Amino acid sequence: MPGSDGPIGVLAVTLGRDCPRTRWLEAFLEALSWRLRYPLEREQASDLLERGNRYDPATGLPSRESLLDYLARRQQVRGERGWVAFFEIEDFTEISDVWGYAVGDAVLVEVARRLRVERKRGIWVARCGFGRFALVGADRPDPERLGQIAARLEYPMQVGDVVVYLRVRVGVARFPADGTRPQDLLRRAGQALAEARVQGRRVMLYRAGLGRVHSERAQAEQLREALGRPGGIEIVYQPIVDLMDGRIIFVEALARWRDPATGRPVSPERFIGIAERYGMATLLDRAVLAQATELAHRAWGELGERAPRVTVNVAPESLADPEFVAFSVEAARGLPPHKRPILELTERSLLVPDAVRPALAQLHGAGLQVFIDDLGSGYASLAALALTEVDAFKVDRTLVLAASEKERARAVLRMVVRLGRELGIPVIVEGVERKDQLSWLRREGVRLAQGFYLGRPQSGARLLARLHARGGQRFALKTTSALNADTGVHTV
């Protein structure tokens, strides 16, 4: 019986002794064999497809689909207890990339052979991913025994002229303690496996809370997507006020982001921390700077000299990125030097002063000023502050809160203000939230301050509307006697 790729079978016909051997009979049998070819080929292809879905072609082990079916059947047995474990070859892609896919496939075959031994102990084995295998057992998992299996997989294996060394991690989930649905069990075994990688452990059992890392990773991807589109990050602006006459001298651009799944705001501490951990700090800074510069251009066009300057928080990673520095310079074009954005750097940026000097020189050359944010939060030394060319520094709000109650903190704050005057650097005090704090700061000669009592963060549109309505930038502050201390900044 012919097929499209060669013979697919034999059609055997037995004729009786008295059956005439006529030509038409031979033609009929030949036509019948050709007619049978089509349904047989379809059935053969269906069998191959089904086996391909149920079994891994490289190792011959059951596939992930078979694993899900097997776990579902196990869950149907009342009172059934057991476990599912992921065994993953770390950096398996490197094996294929360095030595070729033939070596990678040979490694998988050898790992499968070593794991098949566990079948004798009642453990079910499957392959369910690139470099990942699954074992399913009964009763409680024995981490020591699972570690021994992983160690056996790490024995060096000879593949042709190559000796391959593996590193194996194991993540385990138990049923029904960690779930009953097969998908949930595999997800939690995967979470345990990820935690094993993070902690450098060979075997990790799932426990409540391990999913937080993965929810953070999912949130990081959502944040990355938001940073890649216009308006994905919201910006609000908080005034920085001259305490002598109530003018808004600067506005600080603050990033805000909402979880796309719930629509609820994510705390800045959380999503900024995620951006830093997942290498998106510069993307975030660039998104904020782009919107803040747009507002600066708009304010200059509508308010002219009455427009406040915009300050933007910048991570040390951004300052070290020549492309970000160039972007900052380009974004400020079209604005007069005394209205261009100001970059606020954390004290961490001053840990290696020599490393930031070229960037600071380029920014200053383009008319962009640099402030040091949160002075006193514990990173920079006074020597670094003295050796680095900055235009102002902002005192951390915790010092203001402490100064409300403790004389020692008030003495430190007085010293910081005096230090700024000696260095010719303006001092901005953050965290002003009460009237008594404001009164004390003004008595001590503090010129610039920021906080909820002076103005809460608001959208750029509301800020401009407020400035238009006031015909300028003044807050309703009762001034004391004129302060002679020069702020050293460009006021309006």
Side-chain angles (χ1 to χ4, degrees):
M1 298 177 58
S4 57
D5 296 323
I8 60 174
V10 176
L11 175 62
V13 178
T14 302
L15 301 177
R17 180 178 298 176
D18 298 329
C19 182
R21 297 180 179 275
T22 60
R23 180 171 295 181
W24 68 264
L25 181 59
E26 294 177 5
F28 169 75
L29 294 176
E30 185 176 354
L32 179 62
S33 68
W34 277 94
R35 181 67 67 88
L36 290 174
R37 160 194 173 185
Y38 300 106
L40 287 174
E41 282 190 332
R42 284 199 301 271
E43 183 177 354
Q44 189 179 56
S46 178
D47 289 344
L48 289 173
L49 181 61
E50 176 66 17
R51 179 170 179 82
N53 289 335
R54 311 286 302 182
Y55 292 90
D56 172 53
T59 63
L61 291 175
S63 64
R64 187 175 187 275
E65 183 178 341
S66 296
L67 172 62
L68 290 170
D69 289 345
Y70 179 73
L71 287 173
R73 291 196 303 272
R74 292 285 295 264
Q75 301 307 314
Q76 293 174 0
V77 180
R78 187 172 183 178
E80 177 78 0
R81 295 180 180 274
W83 51 269
V84 56
F86 278 147
F87 282 67
E88 184 176 77
I89 304 171
E90 280 199 344
D91 303 324
F92 178 71
T93 55
E94 293 185 5
I95 296 175
S96 297
D97 292 342
V98 173
W99 288 303
Y101 288 102
V103 173
D105 288 344
V107 168
L108 293 176
V109 170
E110 176 59 19
V111 170
R113 186 191 68 79
R114 296 180 185 185
L115 287 176
R116 281 192 178 94
V117 176
E118 302 304 318
R119 290 177 172 178
K120 300 177 182 178
R121 301 179 176 88
I123 294 177
W124 198 83
V125 183
R127 184 189 173 200
C128 55
F130 198 62
R132 182 177 292 188
F133 296 81
L135 275 63
V136 182
D139 299 324
R140 294 181 179 180
D142 182 354
E144 184 177 353
R145 174 60 187 156
L146 294 174
Q148 292 172 353
I149 297 173
R152 192 171 68 249
L153 297 181
E154 293 177 348
Y155 290 162
M157 55 183 69
Q158 184 83 35
V159 182
D161 297 332
V162 176
V163 178
V164 180
Y165 297 86
L166 304 181
R167 186 168 56 249
V168 177
R169 306 286 184 194
V170 184
V172 190
R174 296 156 293 185
F175 55 85
D178 299 329
T180 56
R181 296 176 61 245
Q183 291 284 9
D184 291 341
L185 286 170
L186 296 189
R187 178 167 55 85
R188 285 166 182 165
Q191 291 170 357
L193 179 62
E195 189 70 14
R197 288 196 297 265
V198 170
Q199 296 191 20
R201 302 262 299 271
R202 174 170 279 169
V203 180
M204 175 67 70
L205 271 63
Y206 174 82
R207 66 177 185 275
L210 287 184
R212 182 183 61 80
V213 174
H214 297 270
S215 63
E216 181 179 281
R217 183 178 296 275
Q219 206 166 43
E221 294 307 314
Q222 294 168 341
L223 177 60
R224 191 183 300 276
E225 189 274 333
L227 292 173
R229 56 183 170 83
I233 297 294
E234 302 174 20
I235 307 297
V236 293
Y237 301 87
Q238 186 173 31
I240 299 173
V241 179
D242 186 330
L243 300 186
M244 187 173 71
D245 58 13
R247 290 180 300 163
I248 302 176
I249 307 299
F250 311 106
V251 288
E252 181 180 358
L254 302 169
R256 298 291 185 264
W257 181 55
R258 294 179 180 273
D259 189 316
T262 64
R264 297 175 181 174
V266 181
S267 70
E269 293 80 6
R270 176 170 175 80
F271 76 79
I272 292 174
I274 289 175
E276 291 175 348
R277 284 191 291 276
Y278 288 86
M280 295 182 285
T282 301
L283 287 177
L284 177 60
D285 291 346
R286 185 165 179 153
V288 176
L289 180 61
Q291 293 192 53
T293 306
E294 288 181 8
L295 180 82
H297 281 278
R298 181 179 170 188
W300 171 247
E302 296 180 12
L303 299 171
E305 290 295 337
R306 295 184 290 116
R309 292 187 74 172
V310 180
T311 73
V312 179
N313 293 281
V314 174
E317 295 83 353
S318 299
L319 193 64
D321 185 348
E323 292 186 3
F324 177 83
V325 175
F327 174 80
S328 303
V329 172
E330 183 62 31
R333 294 189 187 280
L335 288 169
H338 66 288
K339 294 297 180 183
R340 290 177 180 174
I342 296 166
L343 304 186
E344 292 191 21
L345 309 178
T346 62
E347 285 184 295
R348 188 159 54 96
S349 304
L350 302 184
L351 290 177
V352 186
D354 291 339
V356 300
R357 284 200 184 98
L360 294 181
Q362 186 176 351
L363 292 170
H364 282 133
L368 278 74
Q369 291 187 327
V370 175
F371 289 1
I372 295 301
D373 193 16
D374 296 333
L375 184 73
S377 57
Y379 285 105
S381 67
L382 293 178
L385 184 64
L387 295 173
T388 305
E389 186 180 352
V390 296
D391 300 288
F393 56 76
K394 302 175 74 173
V395 180
D396 187 65
R397 63 186 303 272
T398 56
L399 185 57
V400 178
L401 294 175
S404 302
E405 302 175 357
K406 299 179 180 180
E407 179 57 37
R408 183 183 295 269
R410 286 193 286 271
V412 171
L413 186 53
R414 290 189 192 102
M415 181 192 70
V416 172
V417 173
R418 192 176 302 116
L419 175 65
R421 290 174 182 164
E422 292 292 330
L423 293 174
I425 297 176
V427 177
I428 302 170
V429 177
E430 298 179 296
V432 180
E433 299 179 356
R434 302 195 308 268
K435 183 178 180 179
D436 62 304
Q437 292 174 331
L438 174 62
S439 300
W440 183 83
L441 291 172
R442 293 176 67 183
R443 288 196 303 271
E444 294 297 326
V446 173
R447 182 71 178 266
L448 298 170
Q450 175 182 3
F452 285 171
Y453 186 76
L454 299 172
R456 290 182 174 272
Q458 55 194 292
S459 68
R462 289 190 63 183
L463 174 69
L464 290 178
R466 180 180 183 182
L467 294 175
H468 278 298
R470 289 180 178 270
Q473 304 165 289
R474 297 183 185 277
F475 273 91
L477 296 177
K478 294 181 179 179
T479 59
T480 58
S481 58
L483 299 176
N484 295 322
D486 181 12
T487 64
V489 296
H490 297 286
T491 59
V492 297

